[in-house]
Amino acid sequence: MQLPPALRQAIDRELQGVALADLARAAETLSQRYRAEIRDGRLHVDDALAARAYLTTRLPATFAAIAAAGQAVMDARPDFAPASLLDIGAGPGTAAWAAAALWPSLTAAELVEASGAMREIGGRLGSALALDRVAWQAGNVPDGLARVDPADLVLMAYVLDELAPAARPPLIERLWTLTGDVLLLVEPGTTEGWKRILAARDQLIGLGAHILAPCPHRAACPLAPPDWCHFSARVARSRLHREAKGGSVPWEDEKFIYLAAARVAGAGPAARILAQPQQSKAEIRLKLCQPDGSQADRRVAKRDAAAFKAARKRGWGESYST
């Protein structure tokens, strides 16, 4: 997945003149905080250098995860054409860029972000965003949501992991009251991220929400530790991205988990592919979450030419009709 050219160019302008050594140190500190899911009361990004490190090392992966989750919403609800977006914990506006790329109907975005450095950079990036209105609001999550307006699409990515467990249920309920149609949550693809998404899923079902994706059912998750549900999005790395993270390959895979809940039900259920399909000369093996709430390992033999050809076109995280 590539970033939109306008966003890529805006990021390049922000990074002009920043010393690579300083950027690499800030990027490593930022990565350590995200990997450890640290909750110490501090913002992960609290100054201009950390915000620029985020642009280099985290924004592309976050964009890819949000875009992949959004594509699943589009698959389930082709009729969904949001005009307004509310993004909670918006960072530099990553979700607004992803949503605008997916839904040309989008005209307005309200972005809530606690970090002044993120809001400042996000405002400059947003000047290249093709929306009629982009409004920024300073606010901590979940305390800063008293003055926000409802929106067709409400999105919160990589925020639940930063909150104390007791703060999550009231926040999810508040987000649902602000949701005109679709609520999209994205979390790191760790076992703990999956557990947070499962808790939000149970709560939203109790509030009357329809689950659009990734689950093809409303039953309990069929997976149990040490297994867990998560997905992967591949994103292209720029030269500066590789140098800041000390990497050599021109891409990275972002592991994530998400939940799309809606006030309007989606298309008829299909199975969801839960892992990278395994292909041999004789067959393709698929790990599926099925509409009846079960998990199954499906083998598609090459001798079944039509089914084999269809299975070859499907990837990890995509729906699969049997």
PDB file of all heavy atoms in Angstrom, residues 52-70:
ATOM      1  N   ARG A  52       7.500  14.387  14.234  1.00  0.00           N
ATOM      2  CA  ARG A  52       8.115  14.104  12.927  1.00  0.00           C
ATOM      3  C   ARG A  52       8.581  12.655  12.849  1.00  0.00           C
ATOM      4  O   ARG A  52       8.510  12.036  11.788  1.00  0.00           O
ATOM      5  CB  ARG A  52       9.251  15.077  12.671  1.00  0.00           C
ATOM      6  CG  ARG A  52       8.742  16.500  12.363  1.00  0.00           C
ATOM      7  CD  ARG A  52       9.864  17.489  12.113  1.00  0.00           C
ATOM      8  NE  ARG A  52       9.320  18.741  11.621  1.00  0.00           N
ATOM      9  CZ  ARG A  52       8.892  19.737  12.390  1.00  0.00           C
ATOM     10  NH1 ARG A  52       8.947  19.594  13.719  1.00  0.00           N
ATOM     11  NH2 ARG A  52       8.399  20.841  11.872  1.00  0.00           N
ATOM     12  N   ALA A  53       9.040  12.119  13.976  1.00  0.00           N
ATOM     13  CA  ALA A  53       9.389  10.692  13.997  1.00  0.00           C
ATOM     14  C   ALA A  53       8.152   9.842  13.730  1.00  0.00           C
ATOM     15  O   ALA A  53       8.219   8.819  13.034  1.00  0.00           O
ATOM     16  CB  ALA A  53      10.023  10.318  15.335  1.00  0.00           C
ATOM     17  N   TYR A  54       7.004  10.264  14.273  1.00  0.00           N
ATOM     18  CA  TYR A  54       5.750   9.558  14.009  1.00  0.00           C
ATOM     19  C   TYR A  54       5.434   9.575  12.521  1.00  0.00           C
ATOM     20  O   TYR A  54       5.024   8.557  11.947  1.00  0.00           O
ATOM     21  CB  TYR A  54       4.623  10.205  14.804  1.00  0.00           C
ATOM     22  CG  TYR A  54       3.277   9.542  14.605  1.00  0.00           C
ATOM     23  CD1 TYR A  54       2.824   8.569  15.481  1.00  0.00           C
ATOM     24  CD2 TYR A  54       2.464   9.882  13.526  1.00  0.00           C
ATOM     25  CE1 TYR A  54       1.602   7.948  15.292  1.00  0.00           C
ATOM     26  CE2 TYR A  54       1.245   9.264  13.324  1.00  0.00           C
ATOM     27  CZ  TYR A  54       0.816   8.296  14.204  1.00  0.00           C
ATOM     28  OH  TYR A  54      -0.392   7.672  13.998  1.00  0.00           O
ATOM     29  N   LEU A  55       5.602  10.718  11.872  1.00  0.00           N
ATOM     30  CA  LEU A  55       5.327  10.801  10.434  1.00  0.00           C
ATOM     31  C   LEU A  55       6.154   9.784   9.666  1.00  0.00           C
ATOM     32  O   LEU A  55       5.691   9.200   8.685  1.00  0.00           O
ATOM     33  CB  LEU A  55       5.655  12.197   9.908  1.00  0.00           C
ATOM     34  CG  LEU A  55       4.873  13.384  10.455  1.00  0.00           C
ATOM     35  CD1 LEU A  55       5.290  14.650   9.723  1.00  0.00           C
ATOM     36  CD2 LEU A  55       3.374  13.163  10.341  1.00  0.00           C
ATOM     37  N   THR A  56       7.375   9.587  10.112  1.00  0.00           N
ATOM     38  CA  THR A  56       8.302   8.710   9.397  1.00  0.00           C
ATOM     39  C   THR A  56       8.042   7.244   9.672  1.00  0.00           C
ATOM     40  O   THR A  56       8.042   6.414   8.759  1.00  0.00           O
ATOM     41  CB  THR A  56       9.745   9.049   9.804  1.00  0.00           C
ATOM     42  OG1 THR A  56       9.975  10.439   9.630  1.00  0.00           O
ATOM     43  CG2 THR A  56      10.739   8.267   8.961  1.00  0.00           C
ATOM     44  N   THR A  57       7.811   6.890  10.940  1.00  0.00           N
ATOM     45  CA  THR A  57       7.819   5.487  11.327  1.00  0.00           C
ATOM     46  C   THR A  57       6.457   4.891  11.629  1.00  0.00           C
ATOM     47  O   THR A  57       6.268   3.682  11.488  1.00  0.00           O
ATOM     48  CB  THR A  57       8.713   5.282  12.559  1.00  0.00           C
ATOM     49  OG1 THR A  57       8.185   6.060  13.649  1.00  0.00           O
ATOM     50  CG2 THR A  57      10.136   5.739  12.279  1.00  0.00           C
ATOM     51  N   ARG A  58       5.481   5.714  12.078  1.00  0.00           N
ATOM     52  CA  ARG A  58       4.196   5.151  12.469  1.00  0.00           C
ATOM     53  C   ARG A  58       3.056   5.523  11.530  1.00  0.00           C
ATOM     54  O   ARG A  58       2.142   4.737  11.333  1.00  0.00           O
ATOM     55  CB  ARG A  58       3.834   5.602  13.892  1.00  0.00           C
ATOM     56  CG  ARG A  58       4.570   4.873  14.987  1.00  0.00           C
ATOM     57  CD  ARG A  58       4.316   3.387  14.966  1.00  0.00           C
ATOM     58  NE  ARG A  58       2.903   3.057  14.943  1.00  0.00           N
ATOM     59  CZ  ARG A  58       2.407   1.897  14.509  1.00  0.00           C
ATOM     60  NH1 ARG A  58       3.208   0.958  14.039  1.00  0.00           N
ATOM     61  NH2 ARG A  58       1.112   1.675  14.528  1.00  0.00           N
ATOM     62  N   LEU A  59       3.073   6.714  10.966  1.00  0.00           N
ATOM     63  CA  LEU A  59       1.959   7.123  10.116  1.00  0.00           C
ATOM     64  C   LEU A  59       1.716   6.160   8.955  1.00  0.00           C
ATOM     65  O   LEU A  59       0.564   5.782   8.708  1.00  0.00           O
ATOM     66  CB  LEU A  59       2.155   8.551   9.619  1.00  0.00           C
ATOM     67  CG  LEU A  59       0.993   9.128   8.792  1.00  0.00           C
ATOM     68  CD1 LEU A  59       0.874  10.635   9.007  1.00  0.00           C
ATOM     69  CD2 LEU A  59       1.140   8.837   7.298  1.00  0.00           C
ATOM     70  N   PRO A  60       2.734   5.741   8.199  1.00  0.00           N
ATOM     71  CA  PRO A  60       2.444   4.843   7.074  1.00  0.00           C
ATOM     72  C   PRO A  60       1.772   3.545   7.502  1.00  0.00           C
ATOM     73  O   PRO A  60       0.822   3.089   6.849  1.00  0.00           O
ATOM     74  CB  PRO A  60       3.833   4.588   6.463  1.00  0.00           C
ATOM     75  CG  PRO A  60       4.649   5.784   6.855  1.00  0.00           C
ATOM     76  CD  PRO A  60       4.172   6.134   8.221  1.00  0.00           C
ATOM     77  N   ALA A  61       2.238   2.952   8.596  1.00  0.00           N
ATOM     78  CA  ALA A  61       1.649   1.700   9.067  1.00  0.00           C
ATOM     79  C   ALA A  61       0.229   1.915   9.579  1.00  0.00           C
ATOM     80  O   ALA A  61      -0.669   1.099   9.336  1.00  0.00           O
ATOM     81  CB  ALA A  61       2.518   1.088  10.161  1.00  0.00           C
ATOM     82  N   THR A  62       0.024   3.022  10.306  1.00  0.00           N
ATOM     83  CA  THR A  62      -1.317   3.329  10.801  1.00  0.00           C
ATOM     84  C   THR A  62      -2.278   3.582   9.653  1.00  0.00           C
ATOM     85  O   THR A  62      -3.428   3.111   9.664  1.00  0.00           O
ATOM     86  CB  THR A  62      -1.259   4.555  11.734  1.00  0.00           C
ATOM     87  OG1 THR A  62      -0.357   4.276  12.813  1.00  0.00           O
ATOM     88  CG2 THR A  62      -2.623   4.887  12.290  1.00  0.00           C
ATOM     89  N   PHE A  63      -1.831   4.317   8.657  1.00  0.00           N
ATOM     90  CA  PHE A  63      -2.651   4.564   7.466  1.00  0.00           C
ATOM     91  C   PHE A  63      -3.045   3.237   6.820  1.00  0.00           C
ATOM     92  O   PHE A  63      -4.217   3.034   6.450  1.00  0.00           O
ATOM     93  CB  PHE A  63      -1.872   5.418   6.468  1.00  0.00           C
ATOM     94  CG  PHE A  63      -2.618   5.720   5.194  1.00  0.00           C
ATOM     95  CD1 PHE A  63      -3.325   6.901   5.049  1.00  0.00           C
ATOM     96  CD2 PHE A  63      -2.620   4.818   4.139  1.00  0.00           C
ATOM     97  CE1 PHE A  63      -4.028   7.179   3.875  1.00  0.00           C
ATOM     98  CE2 PHE A  63      -3.308   5.079   2.963  1.00  0.00           C
ATOM     99  CZ  PHE A  63      -4.019   6.259   2.837  1.00  0.00           C
ATOM    100  N   ALA A  64      -2.092   2.323   6.670  1.00  0.00           N
ATOM    101  CA  ALA A  64      -2.361   1.043   6.012  1.00  0.00           C
ATOM    102  C   ALA A  64      -3.390   0.230   6.789  1.00  0.00           C
ATOM    103  O   ALA A  64      -4.293  -0.379   6.201  1.00  0.00           O
ATOM    104  CB  ALA A  64      -1.068   0.255   5.843  1.00  0.00           C
ATOM    105  N   ALA A  65      -3.266   0.197   8.123  1.00  0.00           N
ATOM    106  CA  ALA A  65      -4.210  -0.569   8.940  1.00  0.00           C
ATOM    107  C   ALA A  65      -5.610   0.024   8.857  1.00  0.00           C
ATOM    108  O   ALA A  65      -6.603  -0.701   8.685  1.00  0.00           O
ATOM    109  CB  ALA A  65      -3.729  -0.600  10.389  1.00  0.00           C
ATOM    110  N   ILE A  66      -5.716   1.350   8.948  1.00  0.00           N
ATOM    111  CA  ILE A  66      -7.030   1.999   8.866  1.00  0.00           C
ATOM    112  C   ILE A  66      -7.642   1.797   7.489  1.00  0.00           C
ATOM    113  O   ILE A  66      -8.849   1.516   7.356  1.00  0.00           O
ATOM    114  CB  ILE A  66      -6.910   3.492   9.199  1.00  0.00           C
ATOM    115  CG1 ILE A  66      -6.495   3.679  10.657  1.00  0.00           C
ATOM    116  CG2 ILE A  66      -8.225   4.222   8.925  1.00  0.00           C
ATOM    117  CD1 ILE A  66      -6.138   5.102  11.020  1.00  0.00           C
ATOM    118  N   ALA A  67      -6.828   1.921   6.444  1.00  0.00           N
ATOM    119  CA  ALA A  67      -7.333   1.738   5.085  1.00  0.00           C
ATOM    120  C   ALA A  67      -7.829   0.313   4.867  1.00  0.00           C
ATOM    121  O   ALA A  67      -8.866   0.091   4.228  1.00  0.00           O
ATOM    122  CB  ALA A  67      -6.260   2.092   4.067  1.00  0.00           C
ATOM    123  N   ALA A  68      -7.103  -0.679   5.392  1.00  0.00           N
ATOM    124  CA  ALA A  68      -7.524  -2.067   5.246  1.00  0.00           C
ATOM    125  C   ALA A  68      -8.835  -2.315   5.991  1.00  0.00           C
ATOM    126  O   ALA A  68      -9.745  -2.992   5.486  1.00  0.00           O
ATOM    127  CB  ALA A  68      -6.432  -3.007   5.751  1.00  0.00           C
ATOM    128  N   ALA A  69      -8.954  -1.781   7.204  1.00  0.00           N
ATOM    129  CA  ALA A  69     -10.198  -1.925   7.961  1.00  0.00           C
ATOM    130  C   ALA A  69     -11.343  -1.205   7.254  1.00  0.00           C
ATOM    131  O   ALA A  69     -12.480  -1.701   7.193  1.00  0.00           O
ATOM    132  CB  ALA A  69     -10.012  -1.392   9.381  1.00  0.00           C
ATOM    133  N   GLY A  70     -11.063  -0.027   6.717  1.00  0.00           N
ATOM    134  CA  GLY A  70     -12.085   0.712   5.989  1.00  0.00           C
ATOM    135  C   GLY A  70     -12.551  -0.011   4.742  1.00  0.00           C
ATOM    136  O   GLY A  70     -13.737   0.039   4.382  1.00  0.00           O
TER     137      GLY A  70
END
